[in-house]
Amino acid sequence: MNPDRAGDVVVVVGARRTTDAADRLLLAATAAWVLGVAPHSVQIERSCPHCGGRDHGRPQVALSFETGTETGTGTGHLTASRPLHVSLSRAGGVVALALTFLGPVGVDVETLAAVSRAGFDAVAFGTAELAALAGVPSADAVAARAQLWTAKEAALKCTGDGLRVDPRDLTVALPGSDGPGNPGLTAWRGSAFPVDALRLRGFEPGAGLVGTVAVLAEDGFAADGPTVRVVPAADIRR
């Protein structure tokens, strides 16, 4: 990977394309940009861990390669010892992509309007989260609600569970009130891994939107990691 593009997690935010296929092409181009390989050598495949379907499920990077005597395809990449993990989310007119070598990743963006629907809190949040929201000033309540929700969605994408898991099984803590911070996963009923193995990081996807990345590091995290670098979609074309 080009060191100028380094970062624990690269997040790319851009205008949503007119079709899902076009958004996946953007993800493939971004993966090629991160890896430093030709765009035509990268494809985005999908695989559902539950039914094995190839028309849905989490996206995966697949590289075509060519040597002097053979051609083929494979997951992962040619420039590092571990695969590039990717995730994609759409909300309003924005698409957000997350890419990292650390381990499975999930990204979620949501509009503030979407989390303001009547009855949303009752199906999205548990007792501890509802209590925390009750203590948030009214001017900040919608943004706090979106932080909690995107954190849950990102975590469920990261593990591949999606909304097969009741989001109320996850408990997310809001960032501290004493300055900038990130939400934290504090409990997950029935989880097969310790919750501190999954880290959440917020990012700014644009006006009226909230974004969160979740990473499950295969070898743990550096102190205060992971770091997130947000890149405009236009930059990957350069």
Short mmCIF file of all heavy atoms in Angstrom, two decimals, residues 31 35 42-45 59-63 74-77 84-86 99:
data_model
loop_
_atom_site.label_atom_id
_atom_site.label_comp_id
_atom_site.label_asym_id
_atom_site.label_seq_id
_atom_site.Cartn_x
_atom_site.Cartn_y
_atom_site.Cartn_z
N ALA A 31 -10.57 0.35 -3.47
CA ALA A 31 -9.69 -0.75 -3.03
C ALA A 31 -8.41 -0.78 -3.86
O ALA A 31 -7.31 -0.96 -3.33
CB ALA A 31 -10.43 -2.08 -3.13
N LEU A 35 -4.64 -0.26 -2.43
CA LEU A 35 -3.66 -1.32 -2.66
C LEU A 35 -2.53 -0.89 -3.59
O LEU A 35 -1.47 -1.52 -3.60
CB LEU A 35 -4.35 -2.55 -3.25
CG LEU A 35 -5.33 -3.27 -2.32
CD1 LEU A 35 -6.18 -4.25 -3.12
CD2 LEU A 35 -4.58 -4.00 -1.21
N VAL A 42 -9.30 -5.36 -9.75
CA VAL A 42 -10.09 -5.52 -8.52
C VAL A 42 -11.57 -5.67 -8.85
O VAL A 42 -12.12 -4.92 -9.66
CB VAL A 42 -9.89 -4.31 -7.58
CG1 VAL A 42 -10.77 -4.44 -6.34
CG2 VAL A 42 -8.43 -4.18 -7.18
N GLN A 43 -12.18 -6.63 -8.21
CA GLN A 43 -13.62 -6.80 -8.28
C GLN A 43 -14.17 -6.91 -6.86
O GLN A 43 -13.46 -7.36 -5.94
CB GLN A 43 -14.00 -8.06 -9.07
CG GLN A 43 -13.69 -7.97 -10.56
CD GLN A 43 -14.18 -9.20 -11.31
OE1 GLN A 43 -14.20 -10.30 -10.77
NE2 GLN A 43 -14.58 -9.00 -12.55
N ILE A 44 -15.43 -6.54 -6.71
CA ILE A 44 -16.09 -6.69 -5.42
C ILE A 44 -17.08 -7.84 -5.53
O ILE A 44 -18.01 -7.82 -6.35
CB ILE A 44 -16.82 -5.39 -5.01
CG1 ILE A 44 -15.82 -4.24 -4.89
CG2 ILE A 44 -17.56 -5.61 -3.69
CD1 ILE A 44 -14.73 -4.44 -3.85
N GLU A 45 -16.85 -8.86 -4.72
CA GLU A 45 -17.77 -9.99 -4.65
C GLU A 45 -18.58 -9.89 -3.38
O GLU A 45 -18.24 -9.15 -2.46
CB GLU A 45 -16.98 -11.30 -4.69
CG GLU A 45 -16.17 -11.47 -5.97
CD GLU A 45 -15.36 -12.76 -5.97
OE1 GLU A 45 -15.22 -13.38 -4.89
OE2 GLU A 45 -14.87 -13.13 -7.06
N PRO A 59 -19.48 -7.27 1.36
CA PRO A 59 -18.59 -7.21 0.19
C PRO A 59 -17.20 -7.73 0.52
O PRO A 59 -16.72 -7.61 1.65
CB PRO A 59 -18.56 -5.71 -0.14
CG PRO A 59 -18.86 -5.03 1.15
CD PRO A 59 -19.78 -5.94 1.92
N GLN A 60 -16.55 -8.32 -0.48
CA GLN A 60 -15.19 -8.83 -0.35
C GLN A 60 -14.38 -8.41 -1.56
O GLN A 60 -14.90 -8.37 -2.69
CB GLN A 60 -15.19 -10.36 -0.25
CG GLN A 60 -15.89 -10.89 0.99
CD GLN A 60 -15.91 -12.42 1.01
OE1 GLN A 60 -16.04 -13.07 -0.02
NE2 GLN A 60 -15.78 -12.98 2.20
N VAL A 61 -13.12 -8.12 -1.34
CA VAL A 61 -12.21 -7.74 -2.42
C VAL A 61 -11.65 -8.99 -3.07
O VAL A 61 -11.14 -9.88 -2.39
CB VAL A 61 -11.06 -6.87 -1.89
CG1 VAL A 61 -10.05 -6.57 -3.00
CG2 VAL A 61 -11.60 -5.58 -1.31
N ALA A 62 -11.76 -9.06 -4.39
CA ALA A 62 -11.16 -10.15 -5.15
C ALA A 62 -10.23 -9.54 -6.19
O ALA A 62 -10.61 -8.60 -6.90
CB ALA A 62 -12.22 -11.00 -5.83
N LEU A 63 -9.01 -10.07 -6.27
CA LEU A 63 -8.02 -9.58 -7.22
C LEU A 63 -7.82 -10.57 -8.34
O LEU A 63 -7.67 -11.77 -8.10
CB LEU A 63 -6.67 -9.38 -6.53
CG LEU A 63 -6.42 -8.08 -5.76
CD1 LEU A 63 -5.03 -8.10 -5.19
CD2 LEU A 63 -6.59 -6.89 -6.68
N GLY A 74 -8.13 -14.28 -6.79
CA GLY A 74 -8.01 -14.65 -5.39
C GLY A 74 -8.48 -13.52 -4.51
O GLY A 74 -8.50 -12.37 -4.93
N THR A 75 -8.91 -13.86 -3.30
CA THR A 75 -9.28 -12.81 -2.37
C THR A 75 -8.02 -12.24 -1.76
O THR A 75 -6.96 -12.85 -1.77
CB THR A 75 -10.19 -13.36 -1.27
OG1 THR A 75 -9.50 -14.41 -0.59
CG2 THR A 75 -11.48 -13.90 -1.84
N GLY A 76 -8.16 -11.03 -1.20
CA GLY A 76 -7.00 -10.42 -0.57
C GLY A 76 -6.30 -9.49 -1.53
O GLY A 76 -6.91 -8.83 -2.35
N HIS A 77 -4.97 -9.47 -1.48
CA HIS A 77 -4.23 -8.52 -2.30
C HIS A 77 -2.80 -9.00 -2.44
O HIS A 77 -2.38 -9.98 -1.83
CB HIS A 77 -4.28 -7.13 -1.68
CG HIS A 77 -3.81 -7.12 -0.26
ND1 HIS A 77 -2.50 -7.05 0.09
CD2 HIS A 77 -4.51 -7.21 0.89
CE1 HIS A 77 -2.39 -7.07 1.40
NE2 HIS A 77 -3.59 -7.17 1.91
N LEU A 84 -7.51 -7.15 2.51
CA LEU A 84 -8.12 -5.84 2.69
C LEU A 84 -9.60 -6.05 2.95
O LEU A 84 -10.32 -6.59 2.11
CB LEU A 84 -7.91 -4.99 1.44
CG LEU A 84 -8.53 -3.59 1.45
CD1 LEU A 84 -7.88 -2.72 2.52
CD2 LEU A 84 -8.39 -2.93 0.07
N HIS A 85 -10.08 -5.61 4.11
CA HIS A 85 -11.48 -5.73 4.48
C HIS A 85 -12.21 -4.45 4.10
O HIS A 85 -11.66 -3.35 4.25
CB HIS A 85 -11.62 -5.98 5.98
CG HIS A 85 -10.95 -7.25 6.44
ND1 HIS A 85 -11.61 -8.46 6.48
CD2 HIS A 85 -9.68 -7.48 6.86
CE1 HIS A 85 -10.77 -9.39 6.92
NE2 HIS A 85 -9.61 -8.83 7.15
N VAL A 86 -13.45 -4.59 3.62
CA VAL A 86 -14.17 -3.42 3.13
C VAL A 86 -15.62 -3.46 3.60
O VAL A 86 -16.17 -4.51 3.93
CB VAL A 86 -14.13 -3.34 1.58
CG1 VAL A 86 -12.70 -3.22 1.09
CG2 VAL A 86 -14.83 -4.53 0.94
N LEU A 99 -12.22 0.85 4.51
CA LEU A 99 -11.25 -0.15 4.08
C LEU A 99 -10.14 -0.23 5.12
O LEU A 99 -9.63 0.79 5.58
CB LEU A 99 -10.66 0.22 2.71
CG LEU A 99 -11.65 0.49 1.58
CD1 LEU A 99 -11.99 1.98 1.50
CD2 LEU A 99 -11.09 0.02 0.23
#
